[in-house]
């Protein structure tokens, strides 16, 4: 990857989340001045591993591990102040600087305790096959209130205790009645206790809260380098993913402009992050899912358990049909391929190149559930490259069959794979330098 040529860049998930975006943002951050989260909230869990230190970031941009980079939580993010305070404390306790380098938009919406309660209650009320399998972090209900407007609270509101207190009291009373009537929930919410707690959190965050839009506009004008850190994955996008088994935001590249308040044309590069196989947490279609010993092996070797909820991730083969759709949706200019080490020990590795649907071949993905529920993946098979390949940083040192797997995925995607991850650690990264020629068949 040619870091100097990237310009303003977005890092995006090409699957259903957990592709390894945190690691890639961390690897790229030293070449940027700002790292900006533009969508989602604490449903995200981005892991960065540096030696024996492991950081799991939920709201704070993964750029925070480099002290001279500004980290921005933009208006499109929904912020749980209780968790944000906890995350900042955790980072500081680990010796990470969190001060004027973290800026939170005053227009970011606040995830309140009743949003988390609603997330649980609405999931519990659904039949098993209709459950979304959310992270229970209150994300959907908070975005719903944002669109509803009259019952929304923004970070800036919490800086005016007198006004905020009355509003919170009113919303809590309404929500309590709603929960009791619709779900028979008898736990009464206490508006004053919630106000006290959340106003105290906001007070602690006061120095970080600002209008982030002019800050980003000034940065663009001064030709600072901006890195936009995507959360979730393109297939979880509320408009373009496998609805309703999605999250509640535009987590794809389309969300950068609206979520961060920057012009769409400010993006020069889009780095798509994808695993060498697929995973998904929660409900919803997953055409290449494995329900056998191989799926178990991938889960075990890849430590495929949710960073946010600890749930086991569903595992399956790489789905080139779905990934190509994400590449097209995001205007991806280069790809980072993750977890190549996890696959190596398997005797053979499969890649889905097309779907068969009612006797016809489909080469284009559709997020339509009625189609996805019926498709049958068409696979090609590749040889594995043996157990425990030694840690390498030079592409030419990778086993031949690993390289031919990478190059095949690259041809299927039609976009160069310029970064290959062969372990969780920051340094377990193979850079393919500019100048190599991608063979397109
Ligand atoms: P994110 O949400 O996209 O940032 O991804 P997560 O952090 O939720 O999940 C990715 C997991 O894979 C984390 O535990 C990472 O430490 C780990 N990881 C990332 N890249 C690699 C890799 O190349 N090999 C292995 N074995 N683990 C990796
Ligand atoms: P990162 O940024 C994986 C999934 C949930 C559920 C659906 C809706 O770490 O890649 P929500 O709580 O958002 O209403 O849940 O979306 N989901 C994720 N899956 N990685 C994530 O984030 C996710 N964020 C949400 O599991 O299926
Ligand atoms: Mg994650």
């Amino acid at each position: 990857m040619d870091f100097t040529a990237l310009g303003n860049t977005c890092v995006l998930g090409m699957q259903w989340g957990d592709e390894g975006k945190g690691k890639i943002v961390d690897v790229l951050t030293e070449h940027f001045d700002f790292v900006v989260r533009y969508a989602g909230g604490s449903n995200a869990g981005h892991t960065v591993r540096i030696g024996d230190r492991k950081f799991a970031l939920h709201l704070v941009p993964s750029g925070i591990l480099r002290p001279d980079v500004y980290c921005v939580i933009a208006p499109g993010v929904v912020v749980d102040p209780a968790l944000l305070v906890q995350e900042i404390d955790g980072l500081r306790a680990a010796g990470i600087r969190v001060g004027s380098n973290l800026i939170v938009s005053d227009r970011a919406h606040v995830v309140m305790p009743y949003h988390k309660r609603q997330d649980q209650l609405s999931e519990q009320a659904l039949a098993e096959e209709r459950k979304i399998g959310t992270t229970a972090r209150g994300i959907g209900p908070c975005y719903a209130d944002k669109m509803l407007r009259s019952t929304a609270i923004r970070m800036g509101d919490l800086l005016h205790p007198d006004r905020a207190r009355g509003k919170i009291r009113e919303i809590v009373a309404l929500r309590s009645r709603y929960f009791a009537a619709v779900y028979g929930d008898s736990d009464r919410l206490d508006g004053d206790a919630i106000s006290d707690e959340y106003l105290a959190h906001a007070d602690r965050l006061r120095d970080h809260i600002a209008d982030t839009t002019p800050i980003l506009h000034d940065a663009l004008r001064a030709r600072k380098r901006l890195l936009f850190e995507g959360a979730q994955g393109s297939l979880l996008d509320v408009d373009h993913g496998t609805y309703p088994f999605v999250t509640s935001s535009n987590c794809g590249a389309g969300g950068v402009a609206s979520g961060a308040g920057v012009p769409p044309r400010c993006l020069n590069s889009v780095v798509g992050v994808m695993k060498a196989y697929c995973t998904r947490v929660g409900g919803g279609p997953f055409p290449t899912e494995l329900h056998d010993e191989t799926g178990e092996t991938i889960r075990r070797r890849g430590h495929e358990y949710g960073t946010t909820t600890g749930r086991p991730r569903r595992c399956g083969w790489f789905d080139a049909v779905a990934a190509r759709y994400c590449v097209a949706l995001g205007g991806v200019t280069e790809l980072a391929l993750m977890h190549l080490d996890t696959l190596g020990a398997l005797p053979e590795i499969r890649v889905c190149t097309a779907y068969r649907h009612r006797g016809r071949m489909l080469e284009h993905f559709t997020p339509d559930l009625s189609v996805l529920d019926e498709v049958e993946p068409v696979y090609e098979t590749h040889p594995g490259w043996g157990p425990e390949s030694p840690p390498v940083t030079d592409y030419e040192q990778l086993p031949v069959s690993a390289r031919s797997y990478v190059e095949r995925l690259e041809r299927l995607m039609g976009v160069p794979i310029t970064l290959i991850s062969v372990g969780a650690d920051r340094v377990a990264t193979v850079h393919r330098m500019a100048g190599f020629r991608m063979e397109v068949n």
Side-chain angles (χ1 to χ4, degrees), residues 125-199:
L126 290 171
E128 202 53 43
E129 70 281 3
R130 296 235 303 120
K131 286 188 200 301
I132 293 167
T134 70
T135 57
R137 295 299 181 100
I139 305 299
C142 181
Y143 276 116
D145 268 344
K146 170 176 171 168
M147 294 305 163
L148 208 55
R149 293 153 294 163
S150 52
T151 48
I153 309 272
R154 304 198 290 183
M155 290 300 286
D157 295 332
L158 295 181
L159 298 180
H160 304 283
D162 293 343
R163 267 183 284 156
R165 198 175 281 281
K167 192 170 175 187
I168 293 172
R169 205 181 283 134
E170 195 186 332
I171 299 168
V172 167
L174 280 170
R175 240 5 95 84
S176 290
R177 278 164 48 201
Y178 177 79
F179 292 170
V182 175
Y183 302 111
D185 182 41
S186 55
D187 284 358
R188 299 300 290 182
L189 297 162
D190 181 338
D192 286 324
I194 292 174
S195 295
D196 288 345
E197 187 190 340
Y198 278 67
L199 290 170

Side-chain angles (χ1 to χ4, degrees), residues 153-279:
I153 309 272
R154 304 198 290 183
M155 290 300 286
D157 295 332
L158 295 181
L159 298 180
H160 304 283
D162 293 343
R163 267 183 284 156
R165 198 175 281 281
K167 192 170 175 187
I168 293 172
R169 205 181 283 134
E170 195 186 332
I171 299 168
V172 167
L174 280 170
R175 240 5 95 84
S176 290
R177 278 164 48 201
Y178 177 79
F179 292 170
V182 175
Y183 302 111
D185 182 41
S186 55
D187 284 358
R188 299 300 290 182
L189 297 162
D190 181 338
D192 286 324
I194 292 174
S195 295
D196 288 345
E197 187 190 340
Y198 278 67
L199 290 170
H201 292 317
D203 200 41
R204 276 215 47 203
L205 295 169
R206 185 175 290 274
D207 290 344
H208 299 283
I209 301 173
D211 182 357
T212 55
T213 307
I215 296 174
L216 294 180
H217 291 178
D218 283 349
L220 286 172
R221 224 172 282 123
R223 302 210 175 279
K224 299 285 181 199
R225 289 154 305 174
L226 274 57
L227 181 61
F228 296 92
E229 176 174 359
Q232 290 76 55
S234 307
L235 296 172
L236 289 172
D237 186 283
V238 68
D239 286 311
H240 309 290
T242 51
Y243 193 90
F245 299 100
V246 293
T247 191
S248 305
S249 67
N250 285 120
C251 49
V256 172
S258 58
V262 295
R265 68 192 171 101
C266 82
L267 273 189
N268 306 106
S269 307
V270 179
V271 177
V273 186
M274 57 190 205
K275 281 176 179 155
Y277 48 93
C278 276
T279 64

Side-chain angles (χ1 to χ4, degrees), residues 32-352:
F32 288 85
D33 303 299
F34 283 77
V35 179
V36 184
R37 273 283 306 271
Y38 60 89
S42 63
N43 47 351
H46 296 182
T47 317
V48 179
R49 237 181 223 283
I50 307 167
D52 55 5
R53 305 205 321 156
K54 179 178 162 183
F55 299 91
L57 296 144
H58 299 284
L59 276 163
V60 175
S62 305
I64 201 75
L65 304 177
R66 309 251 183 202
D68 44 358
V69 167
Y70 284 101
C71 288
V72 174
I73 299 180
V77 177
V78 289
V79 176
D80 181 335
L83 281 177
L84 182 56
V85 164
Q86 207 179 312
E87 201 169 319
I88 292 172
D89 287 346
L91 285 164
R92 285 186 181 146
I96 305 298
R97 174 180 168 237
V98 188
S100 56
N101 54 337
L102 176 68
I103 314 160
V104 184
S105 168
D106 55 357
R107 280 183 279 132
H109 282 250
V110 182
V111 179
M112 298 293 285
Y114 47 82
H115 291 136
K116 290 184 261 192
R117 184 81 191 123
Q118 187 169 353
D119 206 349
Q120 289 166 341
L121 290 169
S122 61
E123 281 281 275
Q124 279 163 15
L126 290 171
E128 202 53 43
E129 70 281 3
R130 296 235 303 120
K131 286 188 200 301
I132 293 167
T134 70
T135 57
R137 295 299 181 100
I139 305 299
C142 181
Y143 276 116
D145 268 344
K146 170 176 171 168
M147 294 305 163
L148 208 55
R149 293 153 294 163
S150 52
T151 48
I153 309 272
R154 304 198 290 183
M155 290 300 286
D157 295 332
L158 295 181
L159 298 180
H160 304 283
D162 293 343
R163 267 183 284 156
R165 198 175 281 281
K167 192 170 175 187
I168 293 172
R169 205 181 283 134
E170 195 186 332
I171 299 168
V172 167
L174 280 170
R175 240 5 95 84
S176 290
R177 278 164 48 201
Y178 177 79
F179 292 170
V182 175
Y183 302 111
D185 182 41
S186 55
D187 284 358
R188 299 300 290 182
L189 297 162
D190 181 338
D192 286 324
I194 292 174
S195 295
D196 288 345
E197 187 190 340
Y198 278 67
L199 290 170
H201 292 317
D203 200 41
R204 276 215 47 203
L205 295 169
R206 185 175 290 274
D207 290 344
H208 299 283
I209 301 173
D211 182 357
T212 55
T213 307
I215 296 174
L216 294 180
H217 291 178
D218 283 349
L220 286 172
R221 224 172 282 123
R223 302 210 175 279
K224 299 285 181 199
R225 289 154 305 174
L226 274 57
L227 181 61
F228 296 92
E229 176 174 359
Q232 290 76 55
S234 307
L235 296 172
L236 289 172
D237 186 283
V238 68
D239 286 311
H240 309 290
T242 51
Y243 193 90
F245 299 100
V246 293
T247 191
S248 305
S249 67
N250 285 120
C251 49
V256 172
S258 58
V262 295
R265 68 192 171 101
C266 82
L267 273 189
N268 306 106
S269 307
V270 179
V271 177
V273 186
M274 57 190 205
K275 281 176 179 155
Y277 48 93
C278 276
T279 64
R280 166 160 216 174
V281 209
F286 184 172
T288 60
E289 183 169 12
L290 288 162
H291 298 279
D292 58 7
E293 195 46 46
T294 307
E296 274 299 322
T297 306
I298 295 175
R299 185 174 307 115
R300 198 175 51 248
R301 286 184 54 87
H303 305 287
E304 292 295 359
Y305 295 89
T307 310
T308 299
T309 59
R311 291 177 292 179
R313 296 178 182 144
R314 299 156 65 191
C315 297
W317 296 122
F318 186 83
D319 184 339
V321 185
R324 258 196 313 258
Y325 168 72
C326 298
V327 164
L329 268 181
V332 169
T333 53
E334 49 199 297
L335 287 161
L337 183 68
M338 315 303 288
H339 277 265
L340 199 66
D341 54 308
T342 300
L343 278 191
L346 297 175
E348 56 174 41
I349 296 158
R350 291 177 159 205
V351 174
C352 165

